């Protein structure tokens, strides 16, 4: 069964949530009322975040957490696994280590997206080797904790390497990644990078462990030109049984997201 989640944020606001960090409780209530199974939580760091309380609020609303979105630390704290300075790489690993501990408590994945950005001109092969090495302690810790790390395929305008489903599989093979390393496939990025949605799903196979839904213009699904129903059907027919998570801009409006998310989930579940 495919689970549904949407982006909410714990402390710093994000363009990808219809609720601010201060409105987290309303956001959780909205998810529950709209028929979502879980939240996807943006967490920069754990200062001022009480995990026991967060877990209690999720439980209260009958929600899980699908993945911890970690990218805020790129802009806010300048973190990256591929920074030139060893100290920054170490701090990034430590931050991911905290995320992995919390993910084990929330039974969620941990996302690695913007945290694999590099400011150096690396060839694809160099990039893949360096990323594999930088991630290694996190992969081992995650394995011990029963946590899956999902590496997000990001389009060429946002990231130097690993754009397409094929790139992601090349990286997993080169790094001999264990099964707890998977791929986050975001259909907004895939629309730019993958030749064909169904073929990309097929290429990723069992490594596909999390999916972001937004339309071609990053608006709420249905307000751009992506074949949302076909993509969902292809996921379902492939046996995909992880989450489809709404990660779109508040476009055409915040109200659209708030009002139309429930009907969208009902519609997709019926396909
Ligand atoms: C994050 O999931 C994402 O898709 C990025 O484009 C955000 O910068
Ligand atoms: Mn995404």
């Amino acid at each position: 069964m495919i689970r549904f989640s949407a982006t909410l944020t714990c402390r710093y606001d994000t363009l990808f949530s219809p609720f601010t960090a201060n409105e987290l409780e309303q956001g959780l209530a909205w998810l529950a009322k709209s028929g979502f199974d879980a939240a996807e939580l943006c967490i920069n760091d754990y200062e001022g975040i009480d995990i026991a309380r967060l877990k209690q609020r999720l439980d209260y609303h009958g929600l899980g957490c699908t993945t911890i979105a970690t990218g805020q630390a790129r802009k806010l704290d300048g973190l990256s696994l591929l920074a030139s300075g060893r100290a920054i790489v170490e701090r990034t690993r430590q931050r991911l280590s905290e995320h992995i501990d919390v993910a084990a408590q929330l039974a969620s994945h941990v996302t690695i997206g913007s945290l694999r950005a590099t400011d150096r001109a690396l060839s694809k092969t160099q990039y893949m080797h360096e990323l594999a090495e930088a991630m290694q302690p996190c992969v081992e810790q995650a394995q011990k904790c029963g946590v899956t790390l999902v590496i997000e395929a990001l389009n060429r305008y946002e990231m130097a390497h690993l754009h397409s489903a094929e790139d992601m599989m090349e990286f997993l093979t080169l790094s001999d990644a264990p099964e707890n390393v998977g791929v986050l496939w975001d259909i907004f990025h895939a629309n730019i990078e993958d030749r064909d949605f169904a073929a990309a799903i097929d290429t990723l196979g069992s490594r596909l462990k999390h999916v972001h839904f937004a339309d071609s213009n990053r608006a709420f699904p249905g307000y751009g030109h992506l074949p949302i129903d076909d993509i969902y059907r292809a996921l379902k027919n492939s046996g995909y049984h992880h989450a489809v998570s709404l990660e779109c801009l508040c476009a055409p409006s915040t109200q659209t997201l708030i009002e139309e998310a429930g009907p969208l989930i009902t519609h997709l579940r019926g396909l």
Side-chain angles (χ1 to χ4, degrees):
M1 213 186 63
I2 296 178
R3 296 164 79 215
F4 288 92
S5 66
T7 304
L8 292 179
T9 187
C10 290
R11 181 141 173 259
Y12 298 98
D13 293 343
T14 170
L15 295 173
F16 295 114
S17 177
F19 294 90
T20 65
N22 282 333
E23 298 167 336
L24 180 60
E25 184 64 28
Q26 287 108 290
L28 294 172
W30 166 69
L31 290 181
K33 196 177 113 205
S34 308
F36 286 92
D37 304 291
E40 169 166 341
L41 294 172
C42 295
I43 301 180
N44 178 55
D45 59 41
Y46 290 91
E47 230 182 279
I49 297 183
D50 178 343
I51 298 304
R53 180 168 159 75
L54 184 59
K55 173 98 177 68
Q56 189 246 323
R57 295 321 297 159
L58 286 164
D59 288 347
Y60 172 84
H61 290 285
L63 298 166
C65 173
T66 51
T67 192
I68 299 176
T70 62
Q72 288 180 334
R74 171 81 191 134
K75 278 206 180 116
L76 292 173
D77 295 332
L79 296 191
S80 171
L81 284 169
L82 287 167
S84 33
R86 295 306 297 170
I88 298 179
V89 174
E90 203 38 56
R91 279 180 57 212
T92 311
R93 283 173 166 164
Q94 277 162 12
R95 185 67 59 84
L96 283 168
S97 166
E98 290 179 72
H99 288 311
I100 293 163
D101 277 343
V102 172
Q105 297 172 58
L106 300 179
S108 83
H109 298 339
V110 172
T111 301
I112 298 179
S114 310
L115 291 188
R116 62 177 184 83
T118 181
D119 46 13
R120 290 171 293 142
L122 299 172
S123 72
K124 185 180 182 186
T125 308
Q126 280 174 320
Y127 177 95
M128 291 196 291
H129 281 291
E130 288 207 21
L131 179 60
E133 195 204 318
M135 279 178 59
Q136 192 52 33
C138 306
V139 173
E140 283 167 22
Q141 182 195 349
Q143 240 179 334
K144 283 191 200 118
C145 297
V147 168
T148 293
L149 303 178
V150 285
I151 310 170
E152 183 165 21
L154 295 163
N155 76 67
R156 67 191 65 198
Y157 308 108
E158 288 190 31
M159 195 57 66
H161 296 292
L162 307 189
H163 307 132
S164 66
E166 280 170 9
D167 291 340
M168 299 313 290
M169 293 310 284
E170 194 182 335
F171 172 68
L172 296 181
T173 303
L174 171 135
S175 60
D176 201 15
E179 267 306 311
N180 73 315
V181 181
V183 173
L184 194 181
W185 185 65
D186 180 322
I187 63 172
F188 164 77
H189 298 292
N191 180 50
I192 298 168
E193 299 294 346
D194 289 313
R195 206 174 70 185
D196 176 281
F197 293 107
I201 292 166
D202 196 46
T203 297
L204 293 168
S206 65
R207 290 292 187 161
L208 179 55
K209 312 256 193 204
H210 194 69
V211 175
H212 280 161
F213 260 32
D215 219 315
S216 51
N217 46 6
R218 249 184 168 168
F220 184 77
Y223 290 89
H225 55 74
L226 291 191
I228 300 289
D229 289 2
D230 291 349
I231 296 171
Y232 185 81
R233 268 196 217 97
L235 282 167
K236 204 175 134 181
N237 293 341
S238 76
Y240 177 74
H241 56 276
H242 302 276
V244 162
S245 200
L246 193 62
E247 188 202 55
C248 61
L249 298 171
C250 293
S253 71
T254 303
Q255 214 48 32
T256 310
L257 263 77
I258 291 175
E259 285 169 11
E260 297 188 21
L264 173 70
I265 293 176
T266 307
H267 167 75
L268 293 174
R269 283 196 214 274
L271 290 177

